[in-house]
Amino acid sequence: WGQMEGNKYCRQIPWDNDSELLNAWKNGQTGYPWIDACMMQLKTEGWIHHLGRHAVACFLTRGDLWQSWEQGALHFESHLLDADYA
């Protein structure tokens, strides 16, 4: 479940791989105040409310960025104090 490639249950989506967009998302510099505020909270506090987590994850994947959820998961796992692979 933790990866897209080779996972028969996961739709194989041709995600973009733009490190500039990904870094802007990670650093809270997307230009979208709600997304940026949530990512800055993650960076400074190690926590985001569940609705904020959903918003930034959707923005990363299905929003304007179209980046892989796997990259987002790696970032969350390395920054969230309560990261839980569930």
Side-chain angles (χ1 to χ4, degrees):
W1 295 106
Q3 64 185 28
M4 185 177 77
E5 190 172 333
N7 183 341
K8 68 179 183 176
Y9 299 107
C10 189
R11 182 175 293 188
Q12 303 301 303
I13 297 174
W15 300 108
D16 287 344
N17 187 15
D18 188 326
S19 60
E20 190 174 312
L21 288 177
L22 187 61
N23 286 329
W25 177 80
K26 288 179 180 180
N27 293 310
Q29 298 175 341
T30 65
Y32 290 82
W34 165 238
I35 301 301
D36 293 347
C38 289
M39 295 307 289
M40 291 304 295
Q41 182 180 17
L42 174 62
K43 193 174 187 177
T44 59
E45 299 178 14
W47 186 85
I48 310 174
H49 187 274
H50 74 93
L51 295 176
R53 295 177 193 205
H54 180 74
V56 297
C58 287
F59 184 83
L60 176 68
T61 57
R62 298 177 301 276
D64 282 9
L65 304 185
W66 200 252
Q67 302 298 303
S68 173
W69 62 269
E70 293 169 306
Q71 294 298 316
L74 288 173
H75 186 70
F76 280 158
E77 288 172 7
S78 68
H79 284 75
L80 282 170
L81 297 174
D82 64 342
D84 183 14
Y85 187 80

